[in-house]
Amino acid sequence: MEKYNPQKIEKKWRIIWEESKIYRTEETLEKPKYYCLDFFPYPSGDGLSVGHCKNYIPTDVFSRFKKMCGYSVLHPMGWDAFGQPAEQEAINKGIHPKITTEKYTANYKRQLSLIGTSYDWEREINSSHPDYYKWTQWFFLLLYKRGLAYRKKAPVNWCPTCLTVLANEEIEDGKCWRCGSEVTKRDLMQWFFKITDYADYLLKDLETIDWPEKIVLMQQNWIGRSEGIEFNLKVKNSEKTIPVFTTRPDTIYGMTFVVLAPEHPLINELTTQEFKNAVENYRKIAYQKSEIQRLALEKEKDGVFIGAYAINPMNNEEVPIYVTDYVLMTYGTGAIMAVPAHDERDFEFAKKYNLLIRVVISPPDWEGEELKEAYTGKGIMVNSDEYNGLPSQEGIEKICNYLDNKGIGRRKVNYKMRDWLISRQRYWGAPIPIIYCDACGEVPVPEEDLPVLLPDIEKYQPTETGESPLAKVQEFVNTFCPKCRKLAKRETDTMGGFACSSWYFLRFTSPHYKKGPFNPDKVKYWMPVDLYVGGAEHAVMHLLYARFWTKVMYDANIVNFREPFNKLLNQGMMHAPDGRLMSKSKGNVITPDEVVAEYSADALRAYELFLGPFEQDAIWSDRGINGVFRFLNRVWRLILKEKPLIFTKRPSGGAEDISRQLQKMTHKTIKKVTLDFEKFKFNTAVAALMEYINFLYSSLDKKVLEEIWSETIDTLMLLLAPIAPFMTEELWERTGHKESIHIQPWPKWDEKLTYEEKFTLVIQVNGKLRDRVEVPVGISDEEMKKIALKSPNAQKFIKDKEIIKFVTVPNKLINIVAK
RNA sequence: GCCGAAGUGGCGGAAUUGGUAGACGCGCUGGACUCAAAAUCCAGUGAGUUUUAAUACUCAUGUGGGUUCAACUCCCACCUUCGGCACCA
């Protein structure tokens, strides 16, 4: 027998598979389709680590499995090559992103082939290629035409290191998600997508998809829907009114002051002369503060009085108006009625400035004493005139009705989610296809003029001016107005990377289509994605944006589904042996290259699957992989060398004939592995195959009918094929099969053959295990009782006691309850 | 602070609807093979008590209660770890 030589056979099959195009996608109406997709990766210079493989291996195993089960499977791969990470890399290394991108994608592709993935490379896409971003721009225009892309000057998040604006989702703890610098505010003219128009829609349709609860919850929280009422507060000695939003109108009688955000437009008009200086000072300081300082939890609430008074519409009480930075201009109306008794922040503020704290919702067991902290729960209304005695819920209804009827306010829904900031002052992205003309204003680039090509330039470093590097490229900026043909200027900002990944899953269905972003027939055939697999870190970014674009497409009648990804799974992260995340800077990266060289791609695959549950984090261990490597060697040896005592006809005498047990074991294993694969439980599937082979080895000194042995080893190879594609292909060939193992039908199990004839009857006394007896399946309760009572071990524990009852579980156990 | 997930041998992890806790693997121990080692193969391996031995018993799934004939699984309280959100009125 030739030794298992993975280096040789893996290289051999990689070449054969590529030449025979065995992984080309099949599109046929005769089979059900299955679209299995990985998150769109950004190809980094560091290449793949075994951590990344924790995602790609399981989806590959599953795709192979589905294909063997008779599906036509779409399992594509492409590159999210545009965007900041790629550009930053290029800047750091001083090499043009176009060049680095090309190099890195080639490396990724090589590594993915190395580990035996079955991607259809004829469908490879790259978001930084003009034939791709042409359509990203096309989608921008679609949103624009539907009123969902607009430009406004707004204080936006600015990263002083990356020199660009960031979307809200790209800020973590007030810091840039990429470089960790503190984010500051800057007033810039920016493009936004109106995702808030779809807030409710995005929220509701979460019910229709099979996603991890965790992600659904994160999206719900991110969207942050809250129902309330917006109403106007009159200002004493002024015509102006201040709109405020509240979800707790039942606490309106507890309003003892009003607070405005520092950016509030009414501050200038309402502040009295006397307080102008103090207010201006406060605003200046607040405005200079970075987000992180402003949001710091420990920070004391402060603010200044503006000299004006607002009037409570319920009782005409006059309350002072303050400006403070704990109120955000970007949510609700940027002003609130402050109810210190029932809001923690207002309470803190009132304490600091000795403002009145009036209880209007009675906390449980409250007897009129002063509150030590705000009571934010619901309760019975007090100190609220005719509303006294009402529970909160009713109070909310009644007061809303009152304000509504009086024309003072109206019910409103607010969302935490903000519009999606799409402009980036960066070179490496899809140019925003808009032209500014002195005569015609903002003009979209006509579809037939797409793509707006990203010029090839030398100086792509970002600038501090808040302008994209493209602004300095005269040939790019200067153009003609598509409407009036006069001289005009192009928009020089590019789109953030998340634009590209908001539709790429559609492009895979027809990656070379020229007449549109995708071929509608192919989209109809393949979409939606049946299984989408990636990390949880994209919960509120990519996964929300892609859903949004899909809904816009649905409304525009270009797709016939409202959700792009039916089922979503998040893989756990793979940590380095030191328990930390793998990263080049920490020097603890383990690459698939080194593992494949030392063991084999098949061993790497099997090990990553076996390490633990798919969704759970795992720690790479250099020792553990030995176990699966041994297992693969045992498979190799068993199939090529070992055999039990084979016979062709019923023999007499000699060794024990275990044909029947073997057959049962085979069918039980098929069932176990199949069901485990369906449930993405690859670790127990591998374990089942290990048990299977252990059983086979223990059968070698027994007698087996020839056809059963041949079924046995064929099944072993087939079940293992998605996990260890190289080795099984080689073994399949060596055992005389002509066609590739990867196009064979998945083995089926015969349910009858998974049933046992005997089982271990567990005998308990008062719930404690006392004995075990082998008995035939299907025996009656009475028989079980008889057997149990005969057990000497059980007898020991019941002899001085009175038997009260028997509890039986058919084919499992009997419990004798005795006192 | 709020929301969510998870705590099982020396380690990674298994355990249908509550029904044999620790599958499978790593590691370790002993043995076989070998001049020797590696590799491979065989056996053992939760802790404790007991027995010459086979055996048997007690304890054990983060902690403390509860429901149940029976709890890793269900309920209540708490502890720890990880993840998310964090002035959203």
Side-chain angles (χ1 to χ4, degrees):
Chain A
M1 180 198 73
E2 201 181 318
K3 227 183 106 194
Y4 169 45
N5 182 343
Q7 269 61 40
K8 203 172 120 195
I9 62 174
E10 292 185 356
K11 190 177 171 194
K12 166 183 160 188
W13 288 108
R14 250 191 302 273
I15 294 166
I16 294 177
W17 291 338
E18 202 188 325
E19 282 171 355
S20 64
K21 302 210 183 299
I22 187 177
Y23 300 129
R24 179 185 272 163
T25 312
E26 207 187 4
E27 281 173 341
T28 164
L29 293 172
E30 279 154 37
K31 291 179 176 183
K33 67 95 185 178
Y34 199 89
Y35 189 173
C36 177
L37 184 64
D38 300 289
F39 280 15
F40 205 29
Y42 142 70
S44 104
D46 298 342
L48 289 172
S49 73
V50 292
H52 298 105
C53 299
K54 197 170 184 301
N55 182 5
Y56 301 127
I57 291 168
T59 52
D60 188 65
V61 171
F62 196 71
S63 298
R64 289 172 176 279
F65 166 64
K66 277 287 173 187
K67 194 171 172 187
M68 289 173 84
C69 286
Y71 287 82
S72 63
V73 172
L74 177 56
H75 184 43
M77 181 48 73
W79 318 109
D80 192 10
F82 258 152
Q84 251 174 276
E87 184 173 7
Q88 201 56 51
E89 251 263 354
I91 289 167
N92 295 344
K93 299 204 166 148
I95 308 171
H96 196 286
K98 202 167 156 184
I99 297 165
T100 52
T101 298
E102 215 164 290
K103 204 171 122 197
Y104 298 161
T105 53
N107 186 43
Y108 258 57
K109 197 170 160 181
R110 179 193 62 77
Q111 285 183 302
L112 287 169
S113 299
L114 183 74
I115 64 170
T117 54
S118 58
Y119 296 114
D120 175 2
W121 290 112
E122 287 177 15
R123 291 180 184 248
E124 179 181 1
I125 59 175
N126 184 319
S127 65
S128 69
H129 287 173
D131 55 2
Y132 183 92
Y133 71 71
K134 171 181 179 174
W135 300 111
T136 308
Q137 293 171 335
W138 185 88
F139 278 113
F140 180 96
L141 296 176
L142 176 75
L143 283 140
Y144 184 81
K145 279 175 214 148
R146 300 185 67 82
L148 295 167
Y150 65 95
R151 206 158 80 114
K152 73 169 180 196
K153 191 163 190 165
V156 289
N157 307 299
W158 174 263
C159 173
T161 305
C162 300
L163 302 174
T164 187
V165 301
L166 300 171
N168 288 315
E169 294 84 339
E170 291 170 331
I171 297 162
E172 292 162 357
D173 285 331
K175 293 176 183 160
C176 172
W177 71 314
R178 276 290 153 206
C179 68
S181 316
E182 262 188 31
V183 171
T184 57
K185 290 277 176 188
R186 209 160 165 170
D187 261 322
L188 289 172
M189 201 63 171
Q190 301 288 334
W191 281 97
F192 292 86
F193 287 145
K194 225 171 176 180
I195 192 172
T196 50
D197 270 13
Y198 281 74
D200 253 333
Y201 203 177
L202 287 165
L203 201 58
K204 251 188 225 131
D205 282 351
L206 284 171
E207 292 163 19
T208 67
I209 46 182
D210 180 12
W211 283 23
E213 215 180 319
K214 182 183 151 187
I215 303 293
V216 169
L217 218 78
M218 279 167 75
Q219 292 215 345
Q220 283 168 347
N221 292 339
W222 188 264
I223 294 167
R225 184 182 200 274
S226 56
E227 285 177 24
I229 184 160
E230 189 176 308
F231 65 95
N232 289 315
L233 288 169
K234 282 190 178 150
V235 180
K236 187 184 172 191
N237 302 329
S238 165
E239 294 300 298
K240 300 285 171 190
T241 59
I242 305 171
V244 293
F245 174 75
T246 183
T247 55
R248 291 296 301 274
D250 56 322
T251 64
I252 193 166
Y253 283 88
M255 166 169 73
T256 54
F257 55 101
V258 164
V259 275
L260 306 177
E263 301 88 347
H264 201 284
L266 283 174
I267 291 176
N268 279 339
E269 293 167 64
L270 297 180
T271 307
T272 57
Q273 203 51 44
E274 195 186 341
F275 294 94
K276 277 246 159 33
N277 276 342
V279 168
E280 263 326 294
N281 270 338
Y282 184 83
R283 292 179 82 183
K284 249 188 217 153
I285 294 166
Y287 215 63
Q288 278 162 8
K289 278 183 196 166
S290 68
E291 195 82 350
I292 194 160
Q293 287 166 322
R294 220 169 131 172
L295 292 183
L297 200 64
E298 320 79 57
K299 193 184 86 69
E300 211 174 275
K301 310 255 174 293
D302 63 1
V304 292
F305 179 49
I306 70 165
Y309 293 86
I311 296 162
N312 188 327
M314 304 306 289
N315 56 11
N316 292 321
E317 209 170 74
E318 292 173 10
V319 297
I321 303 174
Y322 283 76
V323 53
T324 171
D325 65 5
Y326 79 80
V327 170
L328 308 172
M329 195 57 222
T330 44
Y331 183 79
T333 61
I336 59 160
M337 65 169 203
V339 184
H342 305 295
D343 181 283
E344 285 161 26
R345 297 149 297 176
D346 299 344
F347 186 86
E348 205 187 309
F349 192 85
K351 276 283 178 199
K352 178 167 167 118
Y353 295 105
N354 274 318
L355 296 162
L356 184 62
I357 298 173
R358 182 195 298 141
V359 176
V360 292
I361 302 293
S362 169
D365 306 320
W366 182 69
E367 280 161 3
E369 72 275 9
E370 212 176 286
L371 294 183
K372 290 203 179 61
E373 56 181 10
Y375 174 71
T376 55
K378 301 272 163 93
I380 302 297
M381 293 174 69
V382 293
N383 292 325
S384 302
D385 295 348
E386 70 259 41
Y387 298 95
N388 284 342
L390 285 182
S392 294
Q393 206 48 53
E394 268 177 60
I396 289 171
E397 280 304 304
K398 292 229 158 109
I399 289 172
C400 280
N401 288 341
Y402 174 83
L403 293 171
D404 205 345
N405 291 340
K406 287 264 173 182
I408 303 168
R410 54 194 318 188
R411 278 164 219 265
K412 209 184 160 194
V413 174
N414 265 322
Y415 301 91
K416 280 207 259 186
M417 184 170 67
R418 311 288 150 81
D419 276 340
W420 167 13
L421 172 62
I422 191 65
S423 345
R424 295 292 181 279
Q425 292 68 49
R426 283 289 198 150
Y427 168 65
W428 195 237
I432 292 175
I434 293 286
I435 290 167
Y436 303 107
C437 167
D438 285 340
C440 313
E442 192 179 282
V443 183
V445 173
E447 247 177 66
E448 56 274 19
D449 292 350
L450 294 181
V452 176
L453 280 174
L454 187 64
D456 231 335
I457 57 171
E458 294 298 315
K459 279 198 171 172
Y460 47 81
Q461 279 74 7
T463 64
E464 279 182 52
T465 57
E467 269 192 327
S468 151
L470 290 177
K472 295 213 172 58
V473 185
Q474 295 308 316
E475 318 83 270
F476 177 80
V477 177
N478 296 318
T479 185
F480 296 96
C481 170
K483 270 192 195 158
C484 68
R485 293 286 144 202
K486 287 193 189 120
L487 278 173
K489 289 190 187 303
R490 283 193 193 281
E491 168 65 62
T492 56
D493 283 356
T494 54
M495 284 185 254
F498 286 116
C500 310
S501 56
S502 291
W503 72 280
Y504 78 104
F505 42 92
L506 299 166
R507 188 66 181 171
F508 277 134
T509 65
S510 41
H512 311 294
Y513 194 64
K514 297 266 191 285
K515 287 182 253 168
F518 51 79
N519 179 336
D521 293 336
K522 301 294 183 189
V523 160
K524 234 172 242 157
Y525 177 78
W526 287 112
M527 286 297 292
V529 173
D530 295 279
L531 179 66
Y532 197 30
V533 179
E537 68 274 13
H538 286 292
V540 290
M541 297 199 267
H542 161 60
L543 288 173
L544 203 53
Y545 298 149
R547 293 182 60 222
F548 164 54
W549 278 38
T550 302
K551 290 182 186 310
V552 174
M553 290 181 225
Y554 177 83
D555 286 350
N557 250 322
I558 59 176
V559 300
N560 63 349
F561 48 88
R562 301 178 351 175
E563 286 291 337
F565 317 121
N566 270 347
K567 187 180 172 77
L568 175 73
L569 288 175
N570 299 121
Q571 84 277 11
M573 280 193 286
M574 176 78 81
H575 299 270
D578 61 12
R580 299 183 299 171
L581 267 180
M582 283 187 199
S583 85
K584 214 169 191 183
S585 59
K586 292 183 194 116
N588 59 4
V589 175
I590 295 166
T591 63
D593 308 64
E594 56 191 288
V595 178
V596 170
E598 192 179 348
Y599 297 94
S600 66
D602 286 337
L604 171 69
R605 293 170 65 101
Y607 180 53
E608 296 227 1
L609 299 171
F610 184 61
L611 205 49
F614 171 76
E615 324 80 70
Q616 199 174 295
D617 287 359
I619 294 178
W620 181 269
S621 134
D622 296 316
R623 281 186 176 160
I625 192 169
N626 252 316
V628 292
F629 190 63
R630 255 177 229 159
F631 160 68
L632 293 179
N633 273 290
R634 276 160 70 77
V635 172
W636 180 267
R637 207 182 87 217
L638 182 94
I639 287 173
L640 295 182
K641 189 177 168 206
E642 310 288 2
K643 247 184 201 159
L645 308 165
I646 298 293
F647 64 93
T648 45
K649 282 191 183 145
R650 285 288 147 200
S652 53
E656 185 193 353
D657 174 9
I658 55 147
S659 302
R660 185 141 179 91
Q661 288 106 292
L662 194 55
Q663 200 182 19
K664 278 182 180 299
M665 185 65 185
T666 299
H667 283 256
K668 279 203 279 193
T669 305
I670 297 171
K671 182 177 179 180
K672 171 79 177 151
V673 171
T674 307
L675 297 181
D676 278 353
F677 274 7
E678 293 285 3
K679 288 181 278 190
F680 251 60
K681 291 174 73 173
F682 301 107
N683 55 332
T684 50
V686 174
L689 288 167
M690 286 173 166
E691 282 186 76
Y692 188 43
I693 199 155
N694 288 347
F695 184 82
L696 298 187
Y697 268 96
S698 72
S699 309
L700 292 181
D701 56 350
K702 312 272 168 54
K703 256 185 333 197
V704 177
L705 194 64
E706 187 175 34
E707 61 199 57
I708 291 192
W709 183 249
S710 124
E711 184 198 16
T712 301
I713 59 165
D714 278 2
T715 303
L716 175 62
M717 288 185 276
L718 290 165
L719 294 180
L720 192 57
I723 296 169
F726 294 103
M727 172 195 258
T728 50
E729 185 79 306
E730 178 72 18
L731 289 172
W732 193 251
E733 186 186 56
R734 288 190 188 212
T735 48
H737 299 88
K738 295 278 174 285
E739 273 186 321
S740 167
I741 192 170
H742 301 300
I743 54 172
Q744 301 307 312
W746 189 250
K748 290 191 170 54
W749 74 88
D750 180 346
E751 189 67 31
K752 279 189 295 249
L753 286 172
T754 64
Y755 299 148
E756 284 297 342
E757 282 137 10
K758 284 189 204 155
F759 74 98
T760 308
L761 174 65
V762 171
I763 300 168
Q764 297 181 335
V765 177
N766 291 332
K768 285 200 173 171
L769 173 75
R770 295 304 175 190
D771 208 354
R772 285 181 253 232
V773 187
E774 281 277 303
V775 297
V777 163
I779 62 165
S780 67
D781 285 6
E782 282 309 314
E783 285 169 298
M784 278 162 72
K785 277 182 205 169
K786 263 185 223 159
I787 293 163
L789 289 171
K790 257 193 274 173
S791 157
N793 243 332
Q795 271 302 331
K796 269 204 315 209
F797 290 88
I798 50 179
K799 67 171 181 244
D800 300 327
K801 293 177 180 155
E802 181 196 347
I803 294 172
I804 295 168
K805 66 168 171 175
F806 296 90
V807 180
T808 55
V809 181
N811 297 331
K812 202 145 237 169
L813 64 73
I814 177 160
N815 186 14
I816 305 166
V817 186
K819 228 187 207 165

